[in-house]
Every structure is written in C-alpha cells, then in structure tokens.
Amino acid sequence: MNDPVVFPRPLFPPPARLAVLISGRGSNFEALAEACANGGIPAKIVLVVSDNPAAEGLRKAEKREIPARVVDWAAWPNRQARETALLAALEAEAVDLICLAGFMRILSAAFVARWPLRILNVHPSLLPSFPGLQAQAQALDYGVRLTGATVHFVDAGTDTGPIVAQAAVPVHPGDDAQALAARILPVEHAVYVAALRRVLEGGWRISGRTVRFPGS
Ligand code: GAR
C-alpha cells in the first residue's frame, strides 16, 4: 500500500485554467463550458484544442468566444511533432488542468508524465470494462445489463488511469449502440461536471490508484 498523497485545497488558485481537448461533436466540452460559465465549476476554459479541423466542437467554442486551436494530427509527421505542437499551445495559455472530452487520440507516456494527475478523461462505460473505441457497442456485444460513464485521470495506458467518478446506466432490451450512447451521454455530462468540481476543490488523496474525496 502506497502512502497517500494529499492534494491542496483548492487544487489551483481559482479560477483554474482549463484546456479541453476534443475530436468531434464537443457535447462534453459544452457541459463543462456551461458549468464554468454558471459558476458550477471554479474554472475558466482558456483553450479548446482539436486534432480534427472539422470538429463540430470548434464551432461551439467559437460561439462561446472560447479560444480554439487546431493541432491537425494529419499535418504532422509523427506523434512527437504533434505533441510538441500541442504542448506549446497548452504552455502558451499556462494551463493548469487538461480535460479530454471525446479526444480520440492516445497521448504518449512522455506527454502524460508531464501532467501527472492533471489530465482527466470521460469514457462511456464502467471502466475497466470496455476501454478503447465503441464502448457502447462493446457493452451490447457482451450482453451486460448495466454500463455507464467513468471519469478518470489519464495515465500511460488506454482508459486505465485512477477512477475519479462513475455512474451506472441500464441497458434496455432492444437497444442499439446509438440508443445506448444517447442514454449514457447526459450521464457523462453530469458525472464530468461533478468530478471536475471535486478535483478542483482539492483536499482529495490518492493511495495507489484509489482516489478519495473529503467526506467520502
Ligand atoms: C463521448 O461519448 C465520450 O465519452 C467518448 O466520445 C464521445 C464524445 O462525445 N469518448 C471516448 O470514447 C474516448 N475513449 P462529445 O464529443 O459529444 O463529447
């Protein structure tokens, strides 16, 4: 058993400076942006980065007047060059915490090591079940009755980092992947907002891979 590490309260001087990384629709980004705007999360989204120039989430950022950048994965020859560009964008905005929100790229171990317990991700299953792509279809193929949403810290693996929050969602008879994804999505939004708030409030501890919040 590792000695617990206790984090300061608050984690960063509010408002914490967040970057949100997206690849597509950006509904989780919108949920976080809305919570920051209405005071539900003591943070400011200072940067949205998409690896995909056509991501719908970029237009959502523009509407909200949140600075957005494209680090086009296809425009760089290799992962190191892509991550150097990404890092420069994040450092230019003095980002405190990175939120992956439908960002469909794997970050290298070296990149993740620069941001220990400072990158969060949301995933549409109850991890460690069904990591990676098409988690909802994986859940249907397996025949589970319950699946859900997980928010976790990002480590060097794929969807393997310490779990911050989870919520269960039932699978209904007759569900297809689309119907199940639509039932999980609003739960992702709620869990991500609540998890990010608790992380930023600080005072939590991590022991091994177990995260404990004050009062829990
Ligand atoms: C969400 O369901 C998110 O959990 C998932 O992609 C969707 C993005 O939607 N991410 C993953 O599967 C990552 N492994 P959004 O762009 O509307 O937030």
Side-chain angles (χ1 to χ4, degrees):
M1 185 73 149
N2 302 359
D3 282 339
V5 179
V6 183
F7 284 79
R9 194 171 200 162
L11 193 58
F12 304 105
R17 298 175 65 80
L18 306 182
V20 181
L21 272 52
I22 63 169
S23 295
R25 179 178 54 191
S27 73
N28 277 286
F29 151 64
E30 279 227 292
L32 299 182
E34 192 54 42
C36 289
N38 69 24
I41 295 177
K44 179 175 180 192
I45 300 176
V46 295
L47 182 65
V48 170
V49 180
S50 174
D51 63 301
N52 164 20
E56 196 187 324
L58 287 169
R59 289 197 293 278
K60 293 178 172 161
E62 195 182 344
K63 268 197 198 139
R64 289 178 175 271
E65 298 182 351
I66 295 174
R69 292 272 310 268
V70 175
V71 177
D72 185 351
W73 248 229
W76 297 93
N78 55 45
R79 184 150 81 172
Q80 202 182 345
R82 292 168 187 137
E83 289 188 350
T84 301
L86 177 58
L87 194 63
L90 296 168
E91 287 185 343
E93 292 299 336
V95 164
D96 293 319
L97 192 87
I98 301 168
C99 294
L100 308 186
F103 183 68
M104 305 310 263
R105 303 287 182 179
I106 305 291
L107 295 166
S108 72
F111 185 93
V112 170
R114 289 188 72 120
W115 302 83
L117 301 176
R118 286 170 65 200
I119 310 176
L120 286 170
N121 182 41
V122 64
H123 184 77
S125 74
L126 291 176
L127 291 171
S129 294
F130 316 126
L133 296 177
Q134 298 180 339
Q136 304 92 340
Q138 291 185 56
L140 289 175
D141 288 348
Y142 201 91
V144 294
R145 303 296 200 267
L146 276 180
T147 182
T150 301
V151 174
H152 63 94
F153 287 114
V154 173
D155 67 6
T158 301
D159 301 323
T160 53
I163 288 170
V164 175
Q166 292 188 297
V169 174
V171 178
H172 292 173
D175 271 352
D176 60 13
Q178 221 181 349
L180 183 56
R183 192 173 312 115
I184 295 171
L185 194 64
V187 177
E188 289 184 43
H189 299 163
V191 173
Y192 211 175
V193 167
L196 179 57
R197 182 169 48 236
R198 297 195 87 179
V199 166
L200 291 175
E201 279 169 0
W204 46 273
R205 59 185 62 214
I206 185 162
S207 179
R209 43 174 300 121
T210 303
V211 179
R212 292 253 179 268
F213 289 97
S216 68

